[in-house]
Amino acid sequence: MNFLKLAMVAVLFASVPTWANSLTGPQKNAVRSAQQYISIQGFSRNGLIEQLSSDYGDGYNVSDATVAVDSMNIDWNKQAVRSAKQYLSIQGFSCKGLIEQLSSSYGDKYTQSQATYGAKQAGAC
């Protein structure tokens, strides 16, 4: 019986995100902002941090934005697929062109691997 209680307590603690208690107020707010952005369109990790910390975006401190984004459980490959599909819904891209757009420092800032995955899964390659 004690084992069962211990197992239930372990499950309860495992289901509570531990990062939520360790984030500062600005970091929690940055998480909320990031969740809103992610609900609208695909973002890379670097693109989301830049959006949150930009003077033209939300203006969070870069370190707060980074901690906030890194505290979230985001599948960056899935985000790359979303971004790739969004681009393809607007205009045509070659496989190479879409990968370059997704991975460019002037574009979406995905890693080369994420951009390639996104372009392939979206059907551009």
Side-chain angles (χ1 to χ4, degrees):
M1 187 63 146
N2 285 337
F3 176 75
L4 185 56
K5 281 185 188 178
L6 182 61
M8 289 175 62
V9 169
V11 168
L12 286 174
F13 279 114
S15 65
V16 176
T18 55
W19 59 263
N21 295 328
S22 63
L23 295 180
T24 65
Q27 291 166 349
K28 288 178 184 176
N29 288 335
V31 167
R32 289 177 55 205
S33 295
Q35 289 170 332
Q36 290 233 293
Y37 284 120
I38 291 292
S39 73
I40 296 168
Q41 68 182 60
F43 273 91
S44 68
R45 177 185 178 273
N46 289 341
L48 187 55
I49 291 168
E50 185 175 293
Q51 178 66 33
L52 292 169
S53 61
S54 169
D55 289 337
Y56 301 103
D58 292 78
Y60 289 103
N61 179 290
V62 174
S63 62
D64 286 337
T66 302
V67 168
V69 169
D70 288 345
S71 74
M72 301 169 70
N73 187 22
I74 298 173
D75 181 341
W76 300 113
N77 280 332
K78 183 178 177 182
Q79 292 299 310
V81 173
R82 279 182 74 193
S83 293
K85 286 181 178 179
Q86 287 167 336
Y87 278 117
L88 291 173
S89 73
I90 297 169
Q91 69 182 61
F93 275 90
S94 68
C95 177
K96 181 181 176 185
L98 185 55
I99 292 170
E100 287 178 7
Q101 176 64 35
L102 293 169
S103 62
S104 169
S105 61
Y106 299 105
D108 291 64
K109 300 175 180 61
Y110 285 101
T111 66
Q112 190 72 26
S113 173
Q114 292 163 351
T116 301
Y117 179 84
K120 286 181 177 179
Q121 293 299 310
C125 302

